[in-house]
Amino acid sequence: FHPFPGAKSQRTQVKNKTLHPIFDEQFNFTVTREQCSNSTACIHFTVMDHDWLSTNDFAGEAVLQLQEVYGFHKTAVSREAKNISPVFLKLTHPDPSVMKPITKMLEGRTADKEAQEFVKKMKELEISPE
């Protein structure tokens, strides 16, 4: 089940020459309050190390539950939204040995479009087995 079937991925700007980038960017997604109310509704962040001379490297990923986003439980977000604190997310890096059997099982689900998209992403991130 994918709660946001029409939502498209969005990208931040590349932050050059820094090991500690700050992303002060805003993105808009059109989703209903009902879709966001699902306890599994979240935003998945994938962080890549941008390389000029070689392929980009997977740096990690983080997940933010939509119910934790400022203003989610309010009917209207006022001017105070300008003074909210930033959200800091811890990057995680999946262990390839854990992902290998999961990816292999999902590869067998040829009729499952979401499973195939997940396997494709894992291969792009060089996490899946060869």
Side-chain angles (χ1 to χ4, degrees):
F1 171 69
H2 190 288
F4 312 116
K8 299 213 187 283
S9 294
Q10 297 187 31
R11 293 178 182 243
T12 64
Q13 297 176 1
V14 173
K15 304 295 181 181
N16 293 315
K17 299 180 182 176
T18 179
L19 294 176
H20 306 285
I22 295 176
F23 297 95
D24 187 13
E25 299 183 41
Q26 183 176 354
F27 295 98
N28 295 308
F29 297 92
T30 304
V31 293
T32 65
R33 181 170 291 279
E34 182 179 283
Q35 289 173 311
C36 294
S37 295
N38 184 325
S39 62
T40 61
C42 61
I43 301 172
H44 177 247
F45 297 92
T46 303
V47 180
M48 303 295 288
D49 178 21
H50 184 76
D51 294 322
W52 284 101
L53 300 175
S54 63
T55 59
N56 297 337
D57 300 317
F58 176 70
E61 62 188 355
V63 175
L64 174 65
Q65 288 189 307
L66 288 180
Q67 293 180 359
E68 295 176 13
V69 173
Y70 175 83
F72 175 79
H73 297 287
K74 295 183 178 184
T75 54
V77 179
S78 65
R79 291 184 185 153
E80 66 189 52
K82 292 181 181 180
N83 299 324
I84 61 172
S85 299
V87 175
F88 295 94
L89 302 174
K90 183 175 181 178
L91 286 183
T92 60
H93 202 287
D95 181 353
S97 65
V98 172
M99 294 304 295
K100 186 176 180 176
I102 295 169
T103 304
K104 191 170 192 101
M105 185 235 355
L106 291 174
E107 281 178 325
R109 293 185 180 180
T110 55
D112 186 340
K113 185 178 176 182
E114 274 191 86
Q116 294 305 307
E117 287 176 15
F118 179 82
V119 169
K120 181 181 174 186
K121 270 208 183 290
M122 291 297 103
K123 287 183 178 183
E124 288 172 1
L125 299 174
E126 300 179 346
I127 293 176
S128 68
E130 298 172 359

